[in-house]
Amino acid sequence: MLWIGVALLAVALLALPFALASVGTTWVRIMNLAILFTLLSLGLNIVVGYAGLLDLGYIAFYGVGAYTYALLASPQFGIHLPFWAILPIGALVACIFGVLLGAPTLKLRGDYLAIVTLGFGEIVRIFFNNLSQPVNITNGPQGISRIDPFRIGGFSFNQNETLLGLNFSGPVKYYYLLLAVLLAVVVINLRLQDSRIGRAWQAIREDEVAASAMGINTTRVKLLAFAMGASFAGIAGGIFAAIQGFISPESFVLVESIMVLSMVVLGGMGNIWGVILGALLLSFVPEILRHTVEPLQRTLFGRSLIEPEVIRMLLFGLALVLMMLLRPAGLWPSKVRKRELTE
């Protein structure tokens, strides 16, 4: 029965972009962004869910990966490296930034760590915004445009092609690429969760003093959590830059970090499947509201009384309050965390 369920799920995932494309290409793009946020959430889950380190500047690593790809695959510096060479570089650069953030904050916990990581995220964004003088590196607030899409030989991911009577548009091609990357990240997370390192992260989350007394090198293990989580964000950032073809500092603001953290908390910290559920819900629900609230108001009142964005934030805040009251462990919590909050 298990294999039948897996096979049905695989068929559904393979057919999903064509079902969404029948409604509109916009929904395929939304699905791609949802998968990107899922990748970010899985990376942040390592830091927050496994190691218990509150990070409010996680989106900075996403930005580092995006700008690394943009600088090495655009007319900005006249460099056009292939994507398979840039993505590992982006992951490495983001990993280095993760270590730079983690090294001076190893003794901080809770609110103090949150404040420091928040400041780090804002510093990175401000650097992106101002590194246009005296030497133009990031092109400042204007951002970087004409970023190269993914290409494999003569096969480009941003061009429409017909195969076996099916139209493979750019968003559909990127969907399958993102799905493959997501499956790889899920496998890595599953292996990490049950590994010696994963158990060390969980020990630090429960009691850092006791973990240190048991012989765990807390300094190295916490740095590894920051580095690993940042690497996933760097890869996601590179793919984001290729899909969009344009990036600017406004894509990496604090609200995005809070959104990714909310996805982890809503789904269930420490549980991979819960994190995926939270990321998909918070990615799709706002877009559904955006496409339904305003037409509904115009039908009922003849004009738009409340902006969809305002309603989205109200419902978002209400959902978080209800979650903290009714299901503090998340929609699909890990067994360990659920036991902690119920016993």
Side-chain angles (χ1 to χ4, degrees):
M1 287 296 292
L2 177 62
W3 288 109
I4 295 176
V6 172
L8 290 175
L9 178 61
V11 171
L13 290 175
L14 291 174
L16 180 60
F18 297 103
L20 293 174
S22 64
V23 181
T25 309
T26 301
W27 288 102
V28 184
R29 297 180 184 275
I30 292 171
M31 186 68 214
N32 290 345
L33 289 176
I35 297 177
L36 281 173
F37 273 111
T38 304
L39 293 174
L40 289 173
S41 300
L42 289 172
L44 184 59
N45 185 53
I46 293 176
V47 181
V48 177
Y50 291 169
L53 305 170
L54 185 56
D55 188 353
L56 289 181
Y58 185 71
I59 207 67
F61 307 124
Y62 185 50
V64 167
Y67 268 91
T68 300
Y69 184 90
L71 293 174
L72 297 178
S74 73
Q76 180 70 8
F77 289 157
I79 302 175
H80 298 276
L81 297 179
F83 79 93
W84 49 263
I86 303 176
L87 286 184
I89 295 174
L92 178 61
V93 174
C95 176
I96 293 172
F97 272 80
V99 173
L100 291 176
L101 170 62
T105 61
L106 290 177
K107 295 183 179 180
L108 300 177
R109 302 178 189 174
D111 298 341
Y112 300 100
L113 179 60
I115 292 171
V116 171
T117 54
L118 185 154
F120 172 80
E122 285 299 290
I123 288 172
V124 171
R125 184 185 64 80
I126 292 170
F127 264 97
F128 290 154
N129 205 42
N130 289 276
L131 283 180
S132 57
Q133 294 178 349
V135 178
N136 186 7
I137 299 177
T138 63
N139 208 28
Q142 297 179 0
I144 300 176
S145 59
R146 294 184 293 166
I147 300 172
D148 297 340
F150 286 180
R151 290 191 181 93
I152 302 177
F155 181 83
S156 178
F157 276 76
N158 68 336
Q159 296 178 354
N160 292 354
E161 294 184 14
T162 302
L163 181 64
L164 299 177
L166 297 175
N167 180 33
F168 286 82
S169 62
V172 171
K173 293 178 185 177
Y174 277 116
Y175 166 83
Y176 288 118
L177 174 67
L178 285 166
L179 186 62
V181 174
L182 177 61
L183 290 175
V185 170
V186 168
V187 170
I188 293 171
N189 272 264
L190 288 172
R191 298 292 294 173
L192 284 173
Q193 187 176 26
D194 300 324
S195 68
R196 180 179 178 182
I197 295 172
R199 293 194 298 272
W201 283 333
Q202 294 178 39
I204 291 175
R205 183 191 66 198
E206 301 302 321
D207 192 327
E208 187 174 343
V209 176
S212 179
M214 292 297 293
I216 296 175
N217 188 334
T218 57
T219 299
R220 185 178 64 184
V221 171
K222 287 164 72 174
L223 279 177
L224 188 59
F226 275 111
M228 186 69 70
S231 299
F232 289 154
I235 294 173
I239 299 175
F240 170 75
I243 292 175
Q244 296 293 103
F246 168 78
I247 59 169
S248 71
E250 296 305 312
S251 299
F252 313 107
V253 294
L254 174 62
V255 175
E256 299 296 324
S257 283
I258 295 174
M259 183 64 72
V260 176
L261 180 61
S262 300
M263 291 172 178
V264 176
V265 174
L266 177 69
M269 288 191 296
N271 184 19
I272 295 170
W273 310 115
V275 170
I276 293 174
L277 175 62
L280 293 177
L281 282 177
L282 288 185
S283 297
F284 269 99
V285 171
E287 296 302 327
I288 293 173
L289 288 174
R290 192 190 309 276
H291 286 81
T292 57
V293 169
E294 188 166 359
L296 181 61
Q297 291 185 86
R298 293 189 181 278
T299 302
L300 294 176
F301 308 109
R303 62 192 180 92
S304 179
L305 299 176
I306 306 176
E307 292 294 328
E309 182 69 17
V310 176
I311 296 177
R312 182 180 76 90
M313 294 307 295
L314 285 173
L315 293 178
F316 177 63
L318 178 62
L320 287 180
V321 171
L322 291 176
M323 282 297 304
M324 293 300 101
L325 292 175
L326 302 177
R327 294 186 65 87
L331 293 173
W332 194 344
S334 65
K335 294 180 180 179
V336 175
R337 184 161 179 80
K338 185 177 181 180
R339 188 167 59 247
E340 290 173 357
L341 295 174
T342 54
E343 292 182 356

